[in-house]
Amino acid sequence: MKKTVASLLICMLCGVSAAWAETVHNPQAVVDLMTRIGGKGAPGKFLFVIDNEQDPRLCTEEETFVLGAEGGKVLIKGNTLSAITTGIGWYLNHHAH
């Protein structure tokens, strides 16, 4: 019984970490935020990526964002939604003013 419970817990934890490691492009919450900030066309000028595995700069326990460009769009990568929204604020305050 104990082995079964332990195996179940390990499987559940592996599933949670696998879901967390997924790369997400243009999360709807961030797209909605950019629409509220800059109007309907604003999200089309940006690419937002939640990336916990591919970019070594984002593989930390701290919330981190990275700015760049890809395909003529501003790229804002972060390891959480909060990090991406912080990156948006930083971009608007330091580059777009």
Side-chain angles (χ1 to χ4, degrees):
M1 178 70 175
K2 286 183 181 180
K3 288 182 181 179
T4 305
V5 171
S7 297
L8 246 160
L9 286 174
I10 290 171
C11 289
M12 288 172 54
L13 289 175
C14 289
V16 169
S17 65
W20 177 249
E22 183 178 327
T23 300
V24 179
H25 293 270
N26 292 327
Q28 191 59 47
V30 178
V31 171
D32 292 344
L33 173 67
M34 281 306 295
T35 301
R36 287 192 300 274
I37 292 172
K40 284 187 176 184
K45 298 175 184 175
F46 291 85
L47 177 60
F48 307 106
V49 179
I50 297 177
D51 187 359
N52 296 308
E53 292 292 317
Q54 303 299 320
D55 192 332
R57 296 170 291 184
L58 301 175
C59 293
T60 67
E61 290 187 17
E62 298 176 2
E63 290 188 350
T64 308
F65 69 88
V66 176
L67 298 177
E70 186 174 301
K73 296 181 179 185
V74 176
L75 171 64
I76 302 178
K77 280 187 178 181
N79 56 358
T80 64
L81 282 173
S82 178
I84 291 175
T85 58
T86 300
I88 291 169
W90 198 92
Y91 175 81
L92 293 175
N93 285 320
H94 295 279
H95 285 283
H97 67 288

